[in-house]
Amino acid sequence: NAGVTQTPKFRILKIGQSMTLQCTQDMNHNYMYWYRQDPGMGLKLIYYSVGAGITDKGEVPNGYNVSRSTTEDFPLRLELAAPSQTSVYFCASTSRTGAYEQYFGPGTRLTVT
Amino acid sequence: GQNIDQPTEMTATEGAIVQINCTYQTSGFNGLFWYQQHAGEAPTFLSYNVLDGLEEKGRFSSFLSRSKGYSYLLLKELQMKDSASYLCAVKGNQGGKLIFGQGTELSVKP
């Protein structure tokens, strides 16, 4: 299993540009999450999904959109990039059974200038 | 409100024992996680407590007191590779969501 994969690893955007951060998991997990992590801080939840076709907002959803058309994929869309969105973005997934430990992807480092 | 507190940074010596504390006030509680995060990498799962008491896993142990809203992570026989950030996270009531503390940056010195 590849686990949780994210692309791209790094990206530089200009203010106002748009992009999609890709996230795919091959563990057949129902639950998926998007977090952002600013320097020296913990993780803040942006959006999450409990299954295909179902998404909901987390703590910091403004400026982002998500979709979940399949169990495997959970892309995060930035429509009008702003400097405040400079951060490291992590995607995670978990099963509905057991401890619900979340498995994280390697992250996408995004800079908006 | 939701609040999770842990010290910002700690320093310890190789071979020693260190305890990282976490206190929480959350509207729901369905377990507490500890994650390890090396610089520039993703968090990796260390431990999970849902009942009061101590869970031991090799050199790492985690303790939970639900009545006090308190947990700690105990690292024994510290190694240089244990230098990392340690994140405390509480699982809420909905959708397996986790609320993270800001993390404790641990530096292990020779």
Side-chain angles (χ1 to χ4, degrees), chain B residues 57-82:
Chain B
K57 195 186 289 186
R59 294 190 297 116
F60 292 58
S61 303
S62 56
F63 172 83
L64 175 67
S65 169
R66 289 172 296 171
S67 62
K68 294 182 179 176
Y70 168 69
S71 173
Y72 67 73
L73 180 70
L74 193 71
L75 292 76
K76 304 175 188 173
E77 301 168 16
L78 280 172
Q79 302 175 10
M80 300 298 291
K81 67 178 182 179
D82 297 329

PDB file of all heavy atoms in Angstrom, chain B residues 57-82:
ATOM      1  N   LYS B  57       4.187   1.460  25.438  1.00  0.00           N
ATOM      2  CA  LYS B  57       4.563   0.908  24.138  1.00  0.00           C
ATOM      3  C   LYS B  57       6.057   1.118  23.964  1.00  0.00           C
ATOM      4  O   LYS B  57       6.504   2.147  23.470  1.00  0.00           O
ATOM      5  CB  LYS B  57       3.784   1.621  23.034  1.00  0.00           C
ATOM      6  CG  LYS B  57       3.821   0.917  21.690  1.00  0.00           C
ATOM      7  CD  LYS B  57       3.137   1.761  20.609  1.00  0.00           C
ATOM      8  CE  LYS B  57       1.655   1.831  20.760  1.00  0.00           C
ATOM      9  NZ  LYS B  57       1.017   2.537  19.603  1.00  0.00           N
ATOM     10  N   GLY B  58       6.847   0.139  24.415  1.00  0.00           N
ATOM     11  CA  GLY B  58       8.291   0.252  24.298  1.00  0.00           C
ATOM     12  C   GLY B  58       8.829   1.381  25.159  1.00  0.00           C
ATOM     13  O   GLY B  58       8.523   1.476  26.345  1.00  0.00           O
ATOM     14  N   ARG B  59       9.596   2.289  24.559  1.00  0.00           N
ATOM     15  CA  ARG B  59      10.185   3.404  25.322  1.00  0.00           C
ATOM     16  C   ARG B  59       9.170   4.519  25.578  1.00  0.00           C
ATOM     17  O   ARG B  59       9.450   5.449  26.324  1.00  0.00           O
ATOM     18  CB  ARG B  59      11.372   3.991  24.554  1.00  0.00           C
ATOM     19  CG  ARG B  59      12.553   3.069  24.393  1.00  0.00           C
ATOM     20  CD  ARG B  59      13.760   3.822  23.839  1.00  0.00           C
ATOM     21  NE  ARG B  59      13.520   4.369  22.502  1.00  0.00           N
ATOM     22  CZ  ARG B  59      13.502   5.672  22.224  1.00  0.00           C
ATOM     23  NH1 ARG B  59      13.688   6.577  23.179  1.00  0.00           N
ATOM     24  NH2 ARG B  59      13.301   6.088  20.982  1.00  0.00           N
ATOM     25  N   PHE B  60       8.004   4.437  24.965  1.00  0.00           N
ATOM     26  CA  PHE B  60       7.000   5.486  25.057  1.00  0.00           C
ATOM     27  C   PHE B  60       5.812   5.008  25.899  1.00  0.00           C
ATOM     28  O   PHE B  60       5.344   3.884  25.743  1.00  0.00           O
ATOM     29  CB  PHE B  60       6.498   5.875  23.657  1.00  0.00           C
ATOM     30  CG  PHE B  60       7.525   6.561  22.797  1.00  0.00           C
ATOM     31  CD1 PHE B  60       8.732   5.955  22.501  1.00  0.00           C
ATOM     32  CD2 PHE B  60       7.280   7.814  22.272  1.00  0.00           C
ATOM     33  CE1 PHE B  60       9.675   6.578  21.704  1.00  0.00           C
ATOM     34  CE2 PHE B  60       8.218   8.452  21.480  1.00  0.00           C
ATOM     35  CZ  PHE B  60       9.410   7.833  21.186  1.00  0.00           C
ATOM     36  N   SER B  61       5.325   5.889  26.785  1.00  0.00           N
ATOM     37  CA  SER B  61       4.120   5.615  27.557  1.00  0.00           C
ATOM     38  C   SER B  61       3.249   6.852  27.510  1.00  0.00           C
ATOM     39  O   SER B  61       3.763   7.972  27.443  1.00  0.00           O
ATOM     40  CB  SER B  61       4.458   5.308  29.024  1.00  0.00           C
ATOM     41  OG  SER B  61       5.350   4.238  29.137  1.00  0.00           O
ATOM     42  N   SER B  62       1.932   6.647  27.583  1.00  0.00           N
ATOM     43  CA  SER B  62       1.025   7.791  27.640  1.00  0.00           C
ATOM     44  C   SER B  62      -0.001   7.547  28.729  1.00  0.00           C
ATOM     45  O   SER B  62      -0.491   6.437  28.907  1.00  0.00           O
ATOM     46  CB  SER B  62       0.346   8.024  26.288  1.00  0.00           C
ATOM     47  OG  SER B  62      -0.326   6.875  25.864  1.00  0.00           O
ATOM     48  N   PHE B  63      -0.318   8.632  29.453  1.00  0.00           N
ATOM     49  CA  PHE B  63      -1.232   8.573  30.589  1.00  0.00           C
ATOM     50  C   PHE B  63      -2.401   9.504  30.342  1.00  0.00           C
ATOM     51  O   PHE B  63      -2.245  10.580  29.740  1.00  0.00           O
ATOM     52  CB  PHE B  63      -0.494   9.001  31.858  1.00  0.00           C
ATOM     53  CG  PHE B  63      -1.391   9.168  33.048  1.00  0.00           C
ATOM     54  CD1 PHE B  63      -1.763   8.068  33.812  1.00  0.00           C
ATOM     55  CD2 PHE B  63      -1.882  10.420  33.403  1.00  0.00           C
ATOM     56  CE1 PHE B  63      -2.599   8.222  34.904  1.00  0.00           C
ATOM     57  CE2 PHE B  63      -2.704  10.586  34.488  1.00  0.00           C
ATOM     58  CZ  PHE B  63      -3.073   9.483  35.246  1.00  0.00           C
ATOM     59  N   LEU B  64      -3.583   9.117  30.832  1.00  0.00           N
ATOM     60  CA  LEU B  64      -4.777   9.947  30.696  1.00  0.00           C
ATOM     61  C   LEU B  64      -5.549   9.991  32.008  1.00  0.00           C
ATOM     62  O   LEU B  64      -5.757   8.944  32.644  1.00  0.00           O
ATOM     63  CB  LEU B  64      -5.689   9.392  29.596  1.00  0.00           C
ATOM     64  CG  LEU B  64      -7.042  10.089  29.416  1.00  0.00           C
ATOM     65  CD1 LEU B  64      -6.844  11.526  28.906  1.00  0.00           C
ATOM     66  CD2 LEU B  64      -7.937   9.308  28.477  1.00  0.00           C
ATOM     67  N   SER B  65      -5.984  11.205  32.383  1.00  0.00           N
ATOM     68  CA  SER B  65      -6.959  11.394  33.449  1.00  0.00           C
ATOM     69  C   SER B  65      -8.090  12.240  32.876  1.00  0.00           C
ATOM     70  O   SER B  65      -7.927  13.445  32.656  1.00  0.00           O
ATOM     71  CB  SER B  65      -6.336  12.102  34.656  1.00  0.00           C
ATOM     72  OG  SER B  65      -7.356  12.500  35.566  1.00  0.00           O
ATOM     73  N   ARG B  66      -9.221  11.619  32.607  1.00  0.00           N
ATOM     74  CA  ARG B  66     -10.337  12.338  32.001  1.00  0.00           C
ATOM     75  C   ARG B  66     -10.946  13.354  32.968  1.00  0.00           C
ATOM     76  O   ARG B  66     -11.354  14.441  32.571  1.00  0.00           O
ATOM     77  CB  ARG B  66     -11.404  11.358  31.518  1.00  0.00           C
ATOM     78  CG  ARG B  66     -10.980  10.549  30.297  1.00  0.00           C
ATOM     79  CD  ARG B  66     -11.987   9.462  29.975  1.00  0.00           C
ATOM     80  NE  ARG B  66     -12.043   8.474  31.069  1.00  0.00           N
ATOM     81  CZ  ARG B  66     -12.957   7.514  31.141  1.00  0.00           C
ATOM     82  NH1 ARG B  66     -13.888   7.398  30.218  1.00  0.00           N
ATOM     83  NH2 ARG B  66     -12.930   6.655  32.143  1.00  0.00           N
ATOM     84  N   SER B  67     -11.000  13.019  34.250  1.00  0.00           N
ATOM     85  CA  SER B  67     -11.602  13.933  35.221  1.00  0.00           C
ATOM     86  C   SER B  67     -10.788  15.218  35.357  1.00  0.00           C
ATOM     87  O   SER B  67     -11.340  16.284  35.628  1.00  0.00           O
ATOM     88  CB  SER B  67     -11.756  13.268  36.587  1.00  0.00           C
ATOM     89  OG  SER B  67     -10.481  12.915  37.098  1.00  0.00           O
ATOM     90  N   LYS B  68      -9.478  15.133  35.138  1.00  0.00           N
ATOM     91  CA  LYS B  68      -8.609  16.310  35.251  1.00  0.00           C
ATOM     92  C   LYS B  68      -8.341  16.946  33.888  1.00  0.00           C
ATOM     93  O   LYS B  68      -7.684  17.993  33.824  1.00  0.00           O
ATOM     94  CB  LYS B  68      -7.282  15.926  35.908  1.00  0.00           C
ATOM     95  CG  LYS B  68      -7.432  15.486  37.356  1.00  0.00           C
ATOM     96  CD  LYS B  68      -6.087  15.174  37.985  1.00  0.00           C
ATOM     97  CE  LYS B  68      -6.272  14.748  39.444  1.00  0.00           C
ATOM     98  NZ  LYS B  68      -5.007  14.338  40.073  1.00  0.00           N
ATOM     99  N   GLY B  69      -8.793  16.340  32.799  1.00  0.00           N
ATOM    100  CA  GLY B  69      -8.504  16.887  31.483  1.00  0.00           C
ATOM    101  C   GLY B  69      -7.007  16.945  31.234  1.00  0.00           C
ATOM    102  O   GLY B  69      -6.477  17.971  30.774  1.00  0.00           O
ATOM    103  N   TYR B  70      -6.318  15.850  31.525  1.00  0.00           N
ATOM    104  CA  TYR B  70      -4.850  15.867  31.561  1.00  0.00           C
ATOM    105  C   TYR B  70      -4.282  14.584  30.968  1.00  0.00           C
ATOM    106  O   TYR B  70      -4.803  13.480  31.202  1.00  0.00           O
ATOM    107  CB  TYR B  70      -4.418  16.027  33.018  1.00  0.00           C
ATOM    108  CG  TYR B  70      -2.952  15.788  33.291  1.00  0.00           C
ATOM    109  CD1 TYR B  70      -1.974  16.666  32.834  1.00  0.00           C
ATOM    110  CD2 TYR B  70      -2.546  14.681  34.036  1.00  0.00           C
ATOM    111  CE1 TYR B  70      -0.637  16.457  33.107  1.00  0.00           C
ATOM    112  CE2 TYR B  70      -1.204  14.458  34.299  1.00  0.00           C
ATOM    113  CZ  TYR B  70      -0.260  15.354  33.839  1.00  0.00           C
ATOM    114  OH  TYR B  70       1.072  15.132  34.110  1.00  0.00           O
ATOM    115  N   SER B  71      -3.203  14.749  30.227  1.00  0.00           N
ATOM    116  CA  SER B  71      -2.479  13.618  29.682  1.00  0.00           C
ATOM    117  C   SER B  71      -0.992  13.937  29.710  1.00  0.00           C
ATOM    118  O   SER B  71      -0.597  15.108  29.751  1.00  0.00           O
ATOM    119  CB  SER B  71      -2.917  13.351  28.233  1.00  0.00           C
ATOM    120  OG  SER B  71      -2.117  12.358  27.617  1.00  0.00           O
ATOM    121  N   TYR B  72      -0.173  12.912  29.725  1.00  0.00           N
ATOM    122  CA  TYR B  72       1.254  13.132  29.498  1.00  0.00           C
ATOM    123  C   TYR B  72       1.817  12.021  28.637  1.00  0.00           C
ATOM    124  O   TYR B  72       1.312  10.902  28.602  1.00  0.00           O
ATOM    125  CB  TYR B  72       2.046  13.288  30.800  1.00  0.00           C
ATOM    126  CG  TYR B  72       2.148  12.057  31.682  1.00  0.00           C
ATOM    127  CD1 TYR B  72       2.952  10.969  31.343  1.00  0.00           C
ATOM    128  CD2 TYR B  72       1.465  12.011  32.903  1.00  0.00           C
ATOM    129  CE1 TYR B  72       3.050   9.856  32.166  1.00  0.00           C
ATOM    130  CE2 TYR B  72       1.558  10.900  33.726  1.00  0.00           C
ATOM    131  CZ  TYR B  72       2.339   9.832  33.365  1.00  0.00           C
ATOM    132  OH  TYR B  72       2.446   8.736  34.181  1.00  0.00           O
ATOM    133  N   LEU B  73       2.888  12.360  27.935  1.00  0.00           N
ATOM    134  CA  LEU B  73       3.674  11.408  27.152  1.00  0.00           C
ATOM    135  C   LEU B  73       5.026  11.280  27.824  1.00  0.00           C
ATOM    136  O   LEU B  73       5.683  12.278  28.089  1.00  0.00           O
ATOM    137  CB  LEU B  73       3.847  11.909  25.717  1.00  0.00           C
ATOM    138  CG  LEU B  73       4.658  11.024  24.770  1.00  0.00           C
ATOM    139  CD1 LEU B  73       3.879   9.749  24.456  1.00  0.00           C
ATOM    140  CD2 LEU B  73       4.986  11.784  23.483  1.00  0.00           C
ATOM    141  N   LEU B  74       5.418  10.046  28.136  1.00  0.00           N
ATOM    142  CA  LEU B  74       6.681   9.787  28.819  1.00  0.00           C
ATOM    143  C   LEU B  74       7.627   9.087  27.848  1.00  0.00           C
ATOM    144  O   LEU B  74       7.269   8.056  27.266  1.00  0.00           O
ATOM    145  CB  LEU B  74       6.440   8.905  30.043  1.00  0.00           C
ATOM    146  CG  LEU B  74       7.569   8.774  31.042  1.00  0.00           C
ATOM    147  CD1 LEU B  74       7.737  10.094  31.814  1.00  0.00           C
ATOM    148  CD2 LEU B  74       7.292   7.639  32.029  1.00  0.00           C
ATOM    149  N   LEU B  75       8.791   9.663  27.661  1.00  0.00           N
ATOM    150  CA  LEU B  75       9.788   9.067  26.779  1.00  0.00           C
ATOM    151  C   LEU B  75      10.995   8.649  27.624  1.00  0.00           C
ATOM    152  O   LEU B  75      11.606   9.475  28.302  1.00  0.00           O
ATOM    153  CB  LEU B  75      10.255  10.049  25.712  1.00  0.00           C
ATOM    154  CG  LEU B  75       9.273  10.476  24.620  1.00  0.00           C
ATOM    155  CD1 LEU B  75       8.256  11.472  25.123  1.00  0.00           C
ATOM    156  CD2 LEU B  75      10.024  11.045  23.431  1.00  0.00           C
ATOM    157  N   LYS B  76      11.338   7.361  27.580  1.00  0.00           N
ATOM    158  CA  LYS B  76      12.461   6.848  28.369  1.00  0.00           C
ATOM    159  C   LYS B  76      13.667   6.606  27.472  1.00  0.00           C
ATOM    160  O   LYS B  76      13.529   6.480  26.245  1.00  0.00           O
ATOM    161  CB  LYS B  76      12.067   5.530  29.041  1.00  0.00           C
ATOM    162  CG  LYS B  76      10.846   5.601  29.914  1.00  0.00           C
ATOM    163  CD  LYS B  76      10.472   4.206  30.431  1.00  0.00           C
ATOM    164  CE  LYS B  76       9.141   4.239  31.147  1.00  0.00           C
ATOM    165  NZ  LYS B  76       8.676   2.878  31.524  1.00  0.00           N
ATOM    166  N   GLU B  77      14.845   6.527  28.105  1.00  0.00           N
ATOM    167  CA  GLU B  77      16.090   6.202  27.381  1.00  0.00           C
ATOM    168  C   GLU B  77      16.201   7.035  26.101  1.00  0.00           C
ATOM    169  O   GLU B  77      16.336   6.506  25.004  1.00  0.00           O
ATOM    170  CB  GLU B  77      16.142   4.711  27.056  1.00  0.00           C
ATOM    171  CG  GLU B  77      16.076   3.818  28.273  1.00  0.00           C
ATOM    172  CD  GLU B  77      15.837   2.344  27.904  1.00  0.00           C
ATOM    173  OE1 GLU B  77      16.023   1.986  26.724  1.00  0.00           O
ATOM    174  OE2 GLU B  77      15.438   1.572  28.789  1.00  0.00           O
ATOM    175  N   LEU B  78      16.118   8.344  26.288  1.00  0.00           N
ATOM    176  CA  LEU B  78      16.078   9.250  25.149  1.00  0.00           C
ATOM    177  C   LEU B  78      17.239   9.033  24.181  1.00  0.00           C
ATOM    178  O   LEU B  78      18.385   8.823  24.585  1.00  0.00           O
ATOM    179  CB  LEU B  78      16.090  10.700  25.628  1.00  0.00           C
ATOM    180  CG  LEU B  78      14.756  11.256  26.109  1.00  0.00           C
ATOM    181  CD1 LEU B  78      14.955  12.635  26.740  1.00  0.00           C
ATOM    182  CD2 LEU B  78      13.747  11.322  24.968  1.00  0.00           C
ATOM    183  N   GLN B  79      16.904   9.116  22.903  1.00  0.00           N
ATOM    184  CA  GLN B  79      17.893   9.018  21.845  1.00  0.00           C
ATOM    185  C   GLN B  79      17.859  10.310  21.030  1.00  0.00           C
ATOM    186  O   GLN B  79      16.860  11.038  21.027  1.00  0.00           O
ATOM    187  CB  GLN B  79      17.585   7.809  20.947  1.00  0.00           C
ATOM    188  CG  GLN B  79      17.552   6.494  21.702  1.00  0.00           C
ATOM    189  CD  GLN B  79      17.118   5.322  20.834  1.00  0.00           C
ATOM    190  OE1 GLN B  79      17.006   5.435  19.617  1.00  0.00           O
ATOM    191  NE2 GLN B  79      16.870   4.177  21.464  1.00  0.00           N
ATOM    192  N   MET B  80      18.944  10.589  20.323  1.00  0.00           N
ATOM    193  CA  MET B  80      19.022  11.820  19.537  1.00  0.00           C
ATOM    194  C   MET B  80      17.884  11.883  18.521  1.00  0.00           C
ATOM    195  O   MET B  80      17.339  12.958  18.246  1.00  0.00           O
ATOM    196  CB  MET B  80      20.368  11.925  18.829  1.00  0.00           C
ATOM    197  CG  MET B  80      21.563  11.946  19.759  1.00  0.00           C
ATOM    198  SD  MET B  80      21.555  13.351  20.870  1.00  0.00           S
ATOM    199  CE  MET B  80      21.854  14.683  19.720  1.00  0.00           C
ATOM    200  N   LYS B  81      17.489  10.729  17.996  1.00  0.00           N
ATOM    201  CA  LYS B  81      16.431  10.707  16.983  1.00  0.00           C
ATOM    202  C   LYS B  81      15.054  11.064  17.553  1.00  0.00           C
ATOM    203  O   LYS B  81      14.098  11.261  16.789  1.00  0.00           O
ATOM    204  CB  LYS B  81      16.345   9.321  16.327  1.00  0.00           C
ATOM    205  CG  LYS B  81      15.881   8.220  17.268  1.00  0.00           C
ATOM    206  CD  LYS B  81      15.775   6.885  16.530  1.00  0.00           C
ATOM    207  CE  LYS B  81      15.269   5.789  17.464  1.00  0.00           C
ATOM    208  NZ  LYS B  81      15.135   4.475  16.767  1.00  0.00           N
ATOM    209  N   ASP B  82      14.943  11.154  18.892  1.00  0.00           N
ATOM    210  CA  ASP B  82      13.677  11.563  19.510  1.00  0.00           C
ATOM    211  C   ASP B  82      13.478  13.075  19.436  1.00  0.00           C
ATOM    212  O   ASP B  82      12.398  13.575  19.802  1.00  0.00           O
ATOM    213  CB  ASP B  82      13.625  11.111  20.975  1.00  0.00           C
ATOM    214  CG  ASP B  82      13.652   9.596  21.124  1.00  0.00           C
ATOM    215  OD1 ASP B  82      13.132   8.906  20.219  1.00  0.00           O
ATOM    216  OD2 ASP B  82      14.209   9.107  22.129  1.00  0.00           O
TER     217      ASP B  82
END
